[in-house]
Amino acid sequence: AQVIAARPDFIPTQYVRLLSTVQDSIPQWPYQEIEHIVRTTLDTEHGLEWDDVFERMDQKALGTASIGQCHRAVLKPKWASSHPDYHGGTTV
């Protein structure tokens, strides 16, 4: 619905108006479900742990829509090393 509502050239205007209401008026999912989705994605797709990535994440969503919701999060600072090669290359 969200994609179709963004394309008024495909459907009549009255349907666009109706479908556009689902773009940003969806109730927030429970935070526990969102955290589970994020933890699972971090682990299975990136091999990362929640505690290694996030300092914290707000439980209240900044916004919701039909395809997801947005939460403010603070990432943990990461240290990296720079290894300059004597011949001009650098590895970070």
Side-chain angles (χ1 to χ4, degrees):
Q2 187 168 356
V3 173
I4 294 171
R7 297 296 310 264
D9 53 321
F10 284 152
I11 61 173
T13 307
Q14 65 267 25
Y15 295 117
V16 171
R17 275 190 240 115
L18 177 65
L19 292 173
S20 66
T21 62
V22 301
Q23 289 183 328
D24 60 2
S25 60
I26 301 297
Q28 177 177 326
W29 278 21
Y31 177 76
Q32 293 75 15
E33 289 182 44
I34 297 301
E35 184 176 323
H36 176 74
I37 291 168
V38 174
R39 283 181 183 273
T40 301
T41 303
L42 283 172
D43 180 43
T44 60
E45 295 184 18
H46 305 288
L48 298 170
E49 294 290 328
W50 173 279
D51 294 332
D52 293 334
V53 176
F54 295 109
E55 187 72 37
R56 68 179 175 82
M57 181 180 287
D58 290 349
Q59 292 190 14
K60 184 176 183 335
L62 292 172
T64 60
S66 62
I67 60 172
Q69 59 194 48
C70 179
H71 291 259
R72 182 178 319 187
V74 176
L75 299 176
K76 285 192 172 178
K78 294 288 182 183
W79 289 93
S81 64
S82 176
H83 183 263
D85 188 311
Y86 295 125
H87 305 288
T90 301
T91 304
V92 176

